[in-house]
């Protein structure tokens, strides 16, 4: 990694209304961001091979590709399509040199109230694609999502629930299957400390930072910048470090407010507002 | 209870934009609703004694008074005020003959990120007011709220977390301290079934029904009517019954949509859309 770069990864969702992939790669590089986590639609717009060259030419490594998952389906045919699509996502992640494919596992299929079945489909699907991921050298990272997204985005809501799946499908805990801990999704969980004690450093693939605004106005597009909300990020950074996490923290903010700002200002704010988190971590494995 | 009445309680929040307390008491009675759960500001507007007479004259028993709680505070003085206010709420609940005072325990004090302290304040406060409640013959019912309210409304988010407090402060599990299970707040929890197996019939003070709309538009005012969303209410009713719950289910819906409808139509819809829940319960202890 370029020595001038800061130990921070930016998820392109943070600037998605202002910059496309090429602009983000250029902007993040110029401003000293250490790594990037792009989204599949951005990779597909260029084609995975060309997108991979774009990142390599800029010397900007990809951490996670967002996102695989979306497994639960109303019928077997749709479930097969979801599996196939995730295999494609693994190939895309490989093509851009991403360390992992982030899994937002999916909510209830439309018309269904059957959470146990949806959760079983998630387990079945990950069991099926895990060998492909391993063969491609791409880790699979389950990202538990806040319970306000259980219905329509992820029936995997708790870190403990994600770890149950990891332990079941990969008892060796080698870390081909692991988790992303996103502050926004897990900060409220009274069992978070226990779950962070349980995760191994191999299983802890990512640490997303942002903030929960005290009076959140929107379920989707009102995440806060670090320091603007109520998440105890120093505490969380210490716990994540104690779990052996040695990677770059990653800023991922979905916010109408920040999408309305000058993107260079957004990136600079991310760099500045992440200092107190970066200083607490011990980054031994930046990419 | 009047034989013509239906085994359903209505929380006045469901019609709060259309009806004040006297109108709700009149409307619920005329339409055959079996019980009412009013809010403190409604009781205070009449004065507790007069409000109690209003309910008794209508033959409409009060289940829960909404709401005590709001315990965490920035300093000791504010904490004392919260305790005093909850003692007043216990008196109000007693005056209207309510079976219980519902506790929405409170979120983070403004400016604080210290969830563990807020949670400890909740425990300390309940420990302090529990003898008063017992003396007044009013049960205290902790209502865990959905994690999207952890910051600003309730740092008690999981049913298991509420039960931990109950067991700690009342090891006898007599039920002066217990819980309200609100479908909207707990449906998503992968550990819900385990928690419902753990709760005793004495501890299970209330069962609130409503629904989670698949694509929820607002954090506060977009709850669904039973049947319009994705909560598996038959499953939940069966689990609640298996836990020994013998009371009336209670409809509590915060919804801009339903607040915009004719209140008699809202009440009739609640009666109709709760049949499939009421039929699954075994109501041995209606009031």
């Amino acid at each position: 990694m370029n020595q001038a770069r800061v130990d921070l990864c930016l998820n392109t969702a943070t600037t998605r209304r202002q910059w496309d992939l090429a602009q983000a790669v250029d902007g993040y590089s110029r401003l000293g961001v250490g790594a990037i986590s792009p989204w599949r639609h951005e990779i597909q717009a260029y084609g995975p091979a060309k997108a991979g060259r774009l990142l390599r030419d800029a010397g900007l490594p990809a951490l996670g590709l967002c996102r695989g998952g979306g497994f639960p389906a109303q019928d077997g045919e749709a479930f097969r399509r979801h599996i196939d699509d995730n295999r494609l996502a693994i190939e895309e992640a490989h093509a851009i040199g991403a360390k992992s494919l982030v899994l937002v596992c999916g909510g209830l299929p439309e018309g269904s109230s059957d959470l146990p079945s949806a959760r079983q489909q998630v387990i079945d699907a990950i069991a099926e694609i895990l060998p492909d991921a391993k063969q491609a050298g791409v880790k699979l990272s389950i990202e538990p999502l806040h319970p306000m997204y259980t219905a329509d985005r992820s029936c995997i809501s708790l870190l403990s629930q994600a770890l149950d799946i990891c332990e079941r499908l990969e008892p060796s805990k080698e870390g081909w299957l692991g988790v992303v801990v996103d502050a926004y999704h897990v900060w409220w969980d009274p069992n978070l400390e226990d779950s962070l004690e349980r995760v191994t450093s191999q299983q802890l693939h990512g640490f997303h930072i942002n903030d929960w605004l005290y009076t959140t106005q929107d379920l989707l597009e009102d995440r806060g910048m670090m320091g603007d909300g109520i998440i105890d990020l120093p505490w969380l950074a210490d716990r994540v470090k104690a779990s052996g996490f040695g990677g770059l923290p990653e800023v991922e903010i979905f916010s109408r407010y920040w999408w309305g700002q000058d993107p260079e200002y957004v990136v600079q704010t991310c760099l500045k507002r992440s200092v107190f988190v970066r200083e607490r971590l011990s980054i031994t494995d930046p990419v």
Side-chain angles (χ1 to χ4, degrees), chain A:
Chain A
M1 181 183 291
N2 189 320
Q3 280 309 307
R5 296 243 165 124
V6 171
D7 282 337
L8 184 72
C9 177
L10 275 196
N11 186 296
T12 57
T14 310
T15 54
R16 78 176 181 197
R17 296 261 167 99
Q18 300 102 316
W19 278 344
D20 67 14
L21 183 63
Q23 292 170 315
V25 167
D26 175 60
Y28 294 2
S29 291
R30 267 187 298 110
L31 297 165
V33 171
I36 188 171
S37 286
W39 284 59
R40 288 187 69 194
H41 63 90
E42 297 167 330
I43 300 305
Q44 290 166 348
Y46 279 79
K50 198 173 157 198
R53 275 197 302 277
L54 185 71
L55 299 185
R56 278 191 299 276
D57 290 351
L60 192 66
L63 286 194
L65 177 62
C66 291
R67 55 194 190 184
F71 299 116
Q74 274 173 307
D75 56 52
E77 203 181 318
F79 185 72
R80 298 310 322 161
R81 279 199 306 275
H82 296 174
I83 295 281
D84 290 345
D85 188 51
N86 274 275
R87 290 200 164 115
L88 188 61
I90 290 168
E91 288 174 27
E92 292 164 358
H94 175 76
I96 64 164
K99 291 180 79 174
S100 82
L101 176 66
V102 176
L103 303 181
V104 170
C105 292
L108 290 163
E110 192 122 17
S112 168
S113 297
D114 189 352
L115 262 182
S117 290
R119 287 169 173 157
Q120 187 58 50
Q121 285 184 303
V122 169
I123 294 170
D124 294 344
I126 296 176
E128 193 162 336
I129 64 171
L130 185 56
D132 304 279
K134 201 167 169 177
Q135 192 162 22
V138 172
K139 296 176 182 179
L140 297 180
S141 314
I142 302 173
E143 182 172 353
L145 254 52
H146 192 285
M148 69 188 173
Y149 305 124
T150 303
D152 58 345
R153 283 179 167 72
S154 174
C155 58
I156 308 302
S157 310
L158 300 173
L159 182 54
S160 60
Q161 198 186 359
L163 291 174
D164 286 345
I165 298 175
C166 291
E167 289 170 16
R168 176 162 165 186
L169 297 184
E170 196 195 44
S172 69
K173 302 186 186 177
E174 267 178 287
W176 288 104
L177 182 58
V179 295
V180 166
V181 172
D182 184 312
Y184 189 80
H185 296 304
V186 303
W187 70 274
W188 62 271
D189 181 357
N191 301 312
L192 179 58
E193 188 163 10
D194 289 345
S195 297
L196 286 170
E197 280 175 16
R198 179 176 156 199
V199 69
T200 69
S201 60
Q202 291 80 9
Q203 288 174 320
L204 191 44
H205 294 174
F207 176 34
H208 291 188
I209 57 174
N210 37 50
D211 217 333
W212 180 281
L213 301 178
Y214 186 77
T215 309
T216 295
Q217 301 293 336
D218 188 89
L219 280 91
L220 282 172
E221 304 186 343
D222 195 26
R223 289 198 202 182
M225 180 65 69
M226 295 75 72
D228 287 343
I230 52 74
I231 300 179
D232 189 350
L233 286 167
W235 176 87
L236 187 55
D238 288 348
R239 295 285 82 67
V240 161
K241 181 184 173 183
S243 301
F245 181 71
L248 301 187
E250 172 174 331
V251 177
E252 187 184 33
I253 299 173
F254 294 75
S255 160
R256 255 174 255 172
Y257 173 79
W258 289 104
W259 287 331
Q261 306 299 311
D262 171 69
E264 301 212 354
Y265 169 65
V266 175
V267 173
Q268 282 159 342
T269 306
C270 291
L271 291 166
K272 198 167 63 182
R273 298 281 197 89
S274 61
V275 171
F276 72 106
V277 170
R278 291 187 273 118
E279 284 180 348
R280 297 183 96 96
L281 295 173
S282 167
I283 297 168
T284 53
D285 182 26
V287 286

